[in-house]
Amino acid sequence: MILLLVFACVTAPTASAGETVAAWNPTGVEWQRFRALAQADREHIYARLVELCDGAGHRLAGSPGQKRAEAIGAAWLKADGLKVTLDPVKVPVWVRGEASLAVTGPRAEPLRVLALGGSVATPDAGIEAPIVVIRDFTELSAAVNGKIVLYNHPMLPGTPSIDHYGDAVAYRGGGASKAAAFGAVAVLVRSVTTRSLHTLHTGALGYDEAQPKIPAAAITVEDAERLSRLAGAGEVRVKLRLTPHTEPDADAVNVIGELRGTGRPEEIVVIGGHLDSWDVGQGAADDGAGIVESVEALRLVAKAGAPKRTIRVVLFANEENGLRGGKAYFAAHGSERHVAAVESDIGGGAPQGFGTTASEAQQAWLTPMLAGSGLFTRPDGGGADISPLTHDGVLAIGLLPDDSHYFDVHHTDADTVDKIDPAALADSTGALAALLWQLANAPDAPVKAGVRGD
Amino acid sequence: MILLLVFACVTAPTASAGETVAAWNPTGVEWQRFRALAQADREHIYARLVELCDGAGHRLAGSPGQKRAEAIGAAWLKADGLKVTLDPVKVPVWVRGEASLAVTGPRAEPLRVLALGGSVATPDAGIEAPIVVIRDFTELSAAVNGKIVLYNHPMLPGTPSIDHYGDAVAYRGGGASKAAAFGAVAVLVRSVTTRSLHTLHTGALGYDEAQPKIPAAAITVEDAERLSRLAGAGEVRVKLRLTPHTEPDADAVNVIGELRGTGRPEEIVVIGGHLDSWDVGQGAADDGAGIVESVEALRLVAKAGAPKRTIRVVLFANEENGLRGGKAYFAAHGSERHVAAVESDIGGGAPQGFGTTASEAQQAWLTPMLAGSGLFTRPDGGGADISPLTHDGVLAIGLLPDDSHYFDVHHTDADTVDKIDPAALADSTGALAALLWQLANAPDAPVKAGVRGD
């Protein structure tokens, strides 16, 4: 509260010619100010996350939960005094159906299993075959022909965890088609996590259209290790049955709230996360936290005074299985003058830094804003939903929170609101607000970079 | 390895009249010696745990896994050169059947559920009723009549965790009958843990014969919290269906391995854990670790030289749902001269101390043995399997390992061998070996205490 009293006296900055970016944030004052404001509103911020998680439930694209979430998000933005727009987005509809997996030999026993998002179904009677355990793609060979491949590739521990995600998730994302190329009839994938309590992690796979589409499902780390031990002692047969199906695309919306700029309204700063989630758990960390942080950051900025540039919060309709939200936003708004796009999609932990994709001029514009924040920036950042903007040359900034427990719950039924610490959620909200404030008020923003390679 | 070279030169002590107990362990040498020996055999010790867990699977009383475990245990003891006895034990047979739980209103959704061990079945169509959320037994009232009680009583964090188990497990153990006394038709119990990844914890309940027996099941911490929030906003109805049943008692055995004493063979030191487990996971921590530590501690002692007293390792047939193993052992052997009973049944963590139940004379005999061990003793310890001996006045000693993650997996499908650290398992094995060695070789043991109250 002491901080609040002090910083309430700081006059909201307004644009003036010739001013430097650094002058917008002397000694990090904006970071302290907005992070204190966010902590003061901690209960409100957390209550919105609870409302989204409990009120909507999971929010898989095309599900009733997604529609409930759209209504909740739109109501927030309206209550916060923003101009609300619902941009139509066609989203994929993948329905999980049933799943079962059992070892049938040497000794019959059921196993936990969870289909990967987008997987095709097995025949209704299931697929029974011996397993071949693979730790690395390089081990794939003709030996998997007619077999079920088990990818037992571990996610390595380390900080930040996100740096170790890509290596492991390659097996979930691309493993089915790579195994199909060698004649495998299905794949099982070790859940992508460093900590497991017999926990199943789903997530999207992508099929290579040149290969047969074979069913794919996650098993737990524990079972992956155990089946590996078992297979080391002789043939292990399993029977997998999955009944997912895909329906025609459904109608959804990008929920957009806009605070129109007072000085340069045609210049736009976007912030957002994705409203959809997987169909397990509540999507609290992925990406309820990013949604709430984005909404609340803009609310705090609006409360602090009208910014020079326009700020839009976008609750992207669909990221998990199609990126339709980000693509639709870009199709509708890509030609507008975006000076920066910010995303939060690595959980609700306390802020540690920002990953940026920036030209030299963009980074030079951004860097002074972070002075005194205690947060780092590093290259190659952004976010999936803003990736079409990033590709088009817009300055992209992705929040890097403490993600040391994010992947424990990522894409699992354990991704529930109780895992989110209200203080950490508020702190990231405050950091995003401080960033937004400066992006929206700083002097002349550089032009966007050229179109970037993927 | 340096330690090993040094302590290989220490001559194995033999009994001699007038010697003091303290002389058996000058400067903690026995602790260093056996813990080093155990670390040298770390791979062998861990391999036995893997063999038990993977080879037998879960080992619920009366299950095929229990029979497999008996064979594995007996083979170990025979291979270790012990005299092996299989004492018959009649064990209860509770069969889990199916379980389902769903919120039926305000918005229908399925929930994870796991019957408590010993629960009666619901009617085949299930029981549908509103829930009443209770955090404490004192909140029970006539308001639960006709309702399903949800006990949302948290297990508190803290070290050692075992100290916080009793408070929380009271709701699992006794909650059904206490709620039935007020007319409740079923109970749901928050899983007993401080960390959850949507994890279900089973465990035994006990029915008060004076009350109607109502079905009881565990739900996850996450769902307990969520249903509590939901119930705060209005009536929540759930439908519970459980189909467990009880069969006639089955034949099992206490697997006993004996190393006959060379000086006072009629004096017996018992060490053990329980061979049974719940029917989820592998029972690696509960109590595969205690079984392996006990077997391996005796193996290390035997390798070090014949002890003065007889040492028996007992793989108790049944602890989880009936304590039939401990009772049968006492019925068969209670009249023999037991000088100490040791149990390990709090997981496979590194040793921190011992809980004892001891007369002044017994404690005075024990304390010098622990000098230089770096381990503490504290009162009110022992173990369930040795509790009939404890009650009869025998010195009882329970290993207190690091249990900071024991309750994460306790009675869950996450209790698998990968959770056990080989170094920690070996360290506790070594500590138990050092303890055994001294209990079996120390000068005159005190007579047993009088019969103790429960």
Side-chain angles (χ1 to χ4, degrees):
Chain A
M1 288 307 290
I2 292 173
L3 274 179
L4 270 180
L5 292 173
V6 172
F7 296 114
C9 306
V10 176
T11 305
T14 54
S16 63
E19 200 159 10
T20 65
V21 176
W24 288 99
N25 179 34
T27 69
V29 64
E30 296 301 336
W31 297 92
Q32 298 165 52
R33 174 186 176 209
F34 280 104
R35 289 167 87 168
L37 287 171
Q39 287 301 338
D41 282 358
R42 183 195 299 187
E43 287 184 23
H44 171 78
I45 296 167
Y46 193 72
R48 281 195 159 171
L49 183 60
V50 173
E51 182 188 355
L52 177 64
C53 292
D54 286 359
H58 85 70
R59 307 177 295 278
L60 185 64
S63 70
Q66 183 178 42
K67 303 313 287 181
R68 289 191 289 265
E70 290 170 352
I72 290 169
W76 289 345
L77 300 182
K78 193 173 170 190
D80 292 348
L82 303 177
K83 179 188 162 201
V84 181
T85 309
L86 304 178
D87 278 7
V89 183
K90 288 283 185 188
V91 294
V93 182
W94 179 80
V95 180
R96 176 171 298 282
E98 298 165 6
S100 66
L101 176 67
V103 176
T104 55
R107 190 169 74 222
E109 57 172 325
L111 300 176
R112 292 195 81 192
V113 67
L114 186 66
L116 296 186
S119 174
V120 296
T122 62
D124 193 56
I127 295 174
E128 184 174 357
I131 63 169
V132 177
V133 181
I134 298 280
R135 278 184 85 88
D136 192 276
F137 283 133
T138 61
E139 298 171 34
L140 281 171
S141 74
V144 309
N145 186 46
K147 309 282 174 57
I148 294 176
V149 167
L150 163 54
Y151 289 111
N152 186 22
H153 185 92
M155 179 175 174
L156 298 177
T159 303
S161 300
I162 188 73
D163 290 354
H164 302 278
Y165 179 60
D167 169 64
V169 84
Y171 294 82
R172 187 198 81 202
S177 290
K178 284 188 197 293
F182 288 93
V185 294
V187 300
L188 300 173
V189 181
R190 174 187 172 122
S191 286
V192 179
T193 186
T194 60
R195 290 189 199 87
S196 177
L197 292 176
H198 212 230
T199 311
L200 292 164
H201 294 243
T202 188
L205 62 73
Y207 284 119
D208 175 352
E209 294 295 333
Q211 302 299 338
K213 293 183 180 178
I214 61 174
I219 63 173
T220 68
V221 168
E222 290 90 334
D223 282 340
E225 286 291 302
R226 192 160 57 89
L227 290 178
S228 296
R229 292 193 299 270
L230 205 55
E235 181 177 283
V236 177
R237 296 180 66 82
V238 303
K239 183 174 179 180
L240 173 69
R241 181 173 179 271
L242 304 176
T243 70
H245 70 276
T246 299
E247 298 182 357
D249 286 355
D251 291 315
V253 293
N254 283 336
V255 180
I256 303 176
E258 186 173 288
L259 179 66
R260 192 164 168 80
T262 53
R264 295 184 175 181
E266 76 287 359
E267 293 186 0
I268 299 160
V269 176
V270 162
I271 185 169
H274 60 87
L275 200 54
D276 68 326
S277 73
W278 279 106
D279 57 342
V280 288
Q282 298 188 309
D286 187 13
D287 182 28
I291 288 289
V292 169
E293 287 166 4
S294 298
V295 168
E296 289 293 294
L298 179 49
R299 187 181 63 79
L300 291 175
V301 167
K303 206 160 78 169
K308 184 171 71 175
R309 297 189 177 87
T310 292
I311 307 178
R312 272 187 203 150
V313 58
V314 184
L315 317 186
F316 292 97
N318 169 235
E319 184 269 347
E320 294 293 3
N321 55 344
L323 206 63
R324 301 285 185 87
K327 289 174 179 170
Y329 180 84
F330 186 74
H333 303 283
S335 62
E336 299 170 45
R337 163 83 171 112
H338 290 88
V339 301
V342 183
E343 177 148 5
S344 170
D345 185 21
I346 313 180
Q352 297 194 326
F354 295 100
T356 65
T357 299
S359 65
E360 274 190 39
Q362 287 169 333
Q363 188 66 43
W365 186 62
L366 175 65
T367 297
M369 301 184 200
L370 292 161
S373 67
L375 306 175
F376 63 84
T377 63
R378 63 176 205 179
D380 300 324
D385 295 293
I386 60 172
S387 61
L389 291 166
T390 311
H391 181 70
D392 195 48
V394 174
L395 167 61
I397 307 170
L399 177 68
L400 294 170
D402 173 1
D403 66 356
S404 53
H405 286 279
Y406 177 60
F407 289 99
D408 300 0
V409 302
H410 182 249
H411 296 182
T412 77
D413 59 10
D415 184 3
T416 50
V417 70
D418 52 281
K419 305 302 189 310
I420 307 294
D421 172 39
L425 185 72
D427 201 16
S428 275
T429 300
L432 288 167
L435 178 68
L436 273 191
W437 174 263
Q438 295 177 81
L439 290 170
N441 285 304
D444 297 352
V447 296
K448 71 182 178 186
V451 171
R452 296 176 171 117
D454 286 319
Chain B
M1 288 308 290
I2 291 172
L3 274 178
L4 270 180
L5 291 174
V6 172
F7 295 114
C9 307
V10 176
T11 305
T14 53
S16 64
E19 199 158 11
T20 65
V21 176
W24 288 98
N25 179 34
T27 69
V29 63
E30 295 301 337
W31 297 92
Q32 298 164 52
R33 173 186 177 212
F34 280 104
R35 289 167 87 169
L37 287 171
Q39 287 301 338
D41 282 358
R42 184 195 298 186
E43 287 184 23
H44 171 79
I45 296 168
Y46 193 71
R48 281 195 160 171
L49 183 60
V50 173
E51 182 187 355
L52 177 65
C53 292
D54 286 359
H58 86 70
R59 307 178 293 278
L60 186 64
S63 70
Q66 183 178 42
K67 303 313 286 181
R68 289 191 289 265
E70 290 170 352
I72 290 169
W76 289 345
L77 300 182
K78 193 172 171 192
D80 292 348
L82 304 178
K83 178 188 163 202
V84 181
T85 309
L86 304 178
D87 277 7
V89 183
K90 288 283 185 188
V91 295
V93 182
W94 178 80
V95 180
R96 176 171 298 282
E98 298 165 7
S100 66
L101 176 67
V103 176
T104 55
R107 190 170 74 223
E109 58 172 325
L111 300 176
R112 292 194 81 191
V113 67
L114 187 66
L116 296 186
S119 174
V120 296
T122 63
D124 193 56
I127 295 175
E128 185 174 356
I131 62 168
V132 177
V133 181
I134 298 280
R135 278 183 88 87
D136 192 276
F137 283 133
T138 60
E139 298 170 34
L140 281 171
S141 73
V144 309
N145 187 46
K147 310 282 175 57
I148 294 176
V149 167
L150 163 55
Y151 289 111
N152 186 22
H153 186 92
M155 178 175 174
L156 298 177
T159 303
S161 300
I162 188 73
D163 290 354
H164 301 279
Y165 179 60
D167 169 64
V169 83
Y171 294 82
R172 187 198 81 203
S177 291
K178 284 188 196 292
F182 287 93
V185 294
V187 299
L188 300 173
V189 181
R190 174 187 173 123
S191 286
V192 179
T193 185
T194 60
R195 290 188 199 88
S196 177
L197 292 176
H198 212 231
T199 311
L200 292 164
H201 294 242
T202 189
L205 62 73
Y207 285 118
D208 174 352
E209 294 295 334
Q211 302 299 338
K213 293 183 180 178
I214 61 174
I219 63 173
T220 68
V221 168
E222 289 90 334
D223 282 340
E225 285 291 302
R226 191 160 58 89
L227 291 178
S228 296
R229 292 193 299 270
L230 205 56
E235 181 177 283
V236 176
R237 296 181 66 83
V238 303
K239 183 173 179 180
L240 173 69
R241 181 173 179 271
L242 304 176
T243 70
H245 71 275
T246 299
E247 298 182 357
D249 286 355
D251 291 315
V253 292
N254 283 336
V255 180
I256 302 176
E258 186 173 288
L259 179 66
R260 191 164 169 81
T262 52
R264 295 185 175 180
E266 75 288 359
E267 292 186 359
I268 299 160
V269 176
V270 162
I271 185 169
H274 60 88
L275 200 55
D276 68 328
S277 74
W278 279 106
D279 57 341
V280 288
Q282 298 187 310
D286 187 13
D287 183 28
I291 287 289
V292 170
E293 287 165 5
S294 298
V295 168
E296 289 294 295
L298 178 49
R299 188 181 62 79
L300 291 175
V301 167
K303 206 161 78 169
K308 184 171 71 176
R309 297 189 177 87
T310 292
I311 307 178
R312 272 186 204 153
V313 58
V314 184
L315 317 186
F316 292 97
N318 169 235
E319 184 269 348
E320 294 293 4
N321 55 344
L323 206 62
R324 301 285 184 87
K327 289 174 179 170
Y329 179 83
F330 186 74
H333 303 283
S335 62
E336 300 171 46
R337 163 84 171 114
H338 289 87
V339 300
V342 183
E343 177 148 7
S344 171
D345 185 20
I346 313 181
Q352 297 193 327
F354 295 100
T356 65
T357 299
S359 65
E360 273 189 40
Q362 287 169 333
Q363 188 66 44
W365 186 63
L366 175 65
T367 297
M369 301 184 200
L370 292 161
S373 67
L375 305 175
F376 63 84
T377 63
R378 63 176 206 179
D380 300 324
D385 295 293
I386 60 172
S387 61
L389 291 166
T390 311
H391 181 70
D392 194 48
V394 174
L395 167 62
I397 307 170
L399 178 68
L400 295 170
D402 174 1
D403 66 356
S404 53
H405 286 279
Y406 177 60
F407 289 99
D408 300 0
V409 302
H410 181 250
H411 296 182
T412 77
D413 58 10
D415 184 3
T416 50
V417 70
D418 52 281
K419 305 301 189 309
I420 307 294
D421 173 39
L425 185 72
D427 201 16
S428 274
T429 299
L432 288 167
L435 178 68
L436 273 191
W437 174 263
Q438 295 177 80
L439 290 170
N441 285 305
D444 296 352
V447 296
K448 70 181 178 185
V451 171
R452 296 177 171 116
D454 285 320

